[in-house]
Amino acid sequence: MGFGQSWRVFVRAIRTSYEHLAKVLLGNATWFIVSLSPFLLFIYFPTENYLIFLLSIILSIITFSGSTGALQYIFHKTLKGEEVSARCFWDGFKKHVFKGSIIVFVIILGFSVLAFNILFSRANPSTFFLVLSGFWFWGILYLFVLTQLIFPILVQENVGIREAFKRAALLTLDNPLASAMLLIMSLSVIVLSMVAVGVPFLVFSASFLSILQNYFYTELKVKYLIAAEVEQGEDKRE
């Protein structure tokens, strides 16, 4: 999957988002509200109890995980041409909240460990630790790309947590150019959402990323299906 194909996938994701704009906006708004509802409640009803603050963070991670799985579920059905109702968000939430929460907690742990290693390496000014610092930085980029594929795999394939991580890791390693393109595109969307465009873009970005990630994973999957068919054809001729 080269640059041209990756760009076409990006353009197709934009076109699909426009074609399903109402669904994109509604899905994104629902995702935003449900994901942050525990933390927003803590903000609007503040308390000095740190346990409640910690609980709001943990619950927000859980609701974020379920909402992300639900959004992926909705747009996976949409891209397959299936009917999507308001109930689909709740169905997707229930179906993926448990596995999704474990995945997100593991990812947060991974980012935390890598970030700590970078800080520790930079605090020790030697060539060895400088090299390690660069290694950990690439680890963060790799983990970020992996996270872009893991929810589409979880939703489309309905596999276990370990298998989802394994497939996402192997796909990322086996497709470095596509992974780099997905990294650039996703980071661009996130940066625009948070900095350049502001709040109006926030009602669009999560849904768009779900569509983009679904398309990317589907294209990568097709690549391996075609390769498998070619290999089977060669075996039959032999």
Side-chain angles (χ1 to χ4, degrees):
M1 188 172 175
F3 174 82
Q5 189 176 1
S6 299
W7 176 251
R8 286 192 293 272
V9 169
F10 184 74
V11 173
R12 195 192 317 164
I14 295 175
R15 188 183 302 116
T16 302
S17 299
Y18 178 76
E19 291 171 353
H20 300 275
L21 187 58
K23 194 180 299 179
V24 165
L25 296 177
L26 182 60
N28 207 106
T30 306
W31 171 86
F32 183 81
I33 293 170
V34 175
S35 294
L36 296 180
S37 55
F39 188 66
L40 291 175
L41 285 173
F42 176 81
I43 291 176
Y44 284 109
F45 301 99
T47 175
E48 295 182 359
N49 191 322
Y50 290 104
L51 288 178
I52 295 179
F53 171 73
L54 181 61
L55 180 62
S56 71
I57 296 296
I58 294 173
L59 289 177
S60 292
I61 293 173
I62 294 172
T63 52
F64 168 84
S65 306
S67 298
T68 301
L71 207 59
Q72 291 279 350
Y73 178 74
I74 286 173
F75 287 110
H76 174 53
K77 290 174 70 69
T78 299
L79 299 182
K80 290 198 303 180
E82 298 181 7
E83 289 293 327
V84 175
S85 64
R87 183 177 174 80
C88 285
F89 189 92
W90 176 237
D91 291 340
F93 187 97
K94 290 188 297 182
K95 187 175 182 180
H96 301 293
V97 64
F98 178 72
K99 291 180 182 178
S101 297
I102 295 176
I103 285 172
V104 171
F105 276 111
V106 171
I107 289 171
I108 291 173
L109 178 62
F111 277 122
S112 300
V113 170
L114 289 169
F116 172 80
N117 287 339
I118 288 176
L119 293 175
F120 180 80
S121 298
R122 292 181 67 86
N124 294 272
S126 67
T127 303
F128 175 73
F129 282 107
L130 185 63
V131 172
L132 274 183
S133 179
F135 177 78
W136 302 133
F137 176 75
W138 282 109
I140 286 179
L141 293 180
Y142 173 74
L143 184 57
F144 180 81
V145 177
L146 185 150
T147 62
Q148 305 301 300
L149 294 173
I150 196 163
F151 267 98
I153 292 172
L154 182 69
V155 172
Q156 292 190 31
E157 309 301 336
N158 196 26
V159 295
I161 296 168
R162 184 176 179 180
E163 183 65 21
F165 270 108
K166 178 182 175 181
R167 293 190 186 186
L170 291 175
L171 281 173
T172 302
L173 287 173
D174 198 38
N175 299 274
L177 181 56
S179 299
M181 291 299 299
L182 182 57
L183 172 67
I184 293 169
M185 292 172 182
S186 298
L187 283 177
S188 299
V189 171
I190 292 171
V191 169
L192 284 172
S193 300
M194 298 177 65
V195 180
V197 183
V199 175
F201 206 80
L202 287 174
V203 301
F204 175 81
S205 55
S207 292
F208 175 75
L209 285 175
S210 295
I211 294 171
L212 179 66
Q213 292 160 6
N214 266 284
Y215 271 141
F216 252 92
Y217 175 63
T218 300
E219 289 294 324
L220 290 174
K221 188 165 60 173
V222 167
K223 166 189 169 182
Y224 291 100
L225 289 174
I226 293 174
E229 290 176 359
V230 170
E231 187 176 343
Q232 288 177 359
E234 291 176 350
D235 291 341
K236 288 180 180 179
R237 284 196 295 271
E238 291 176 358

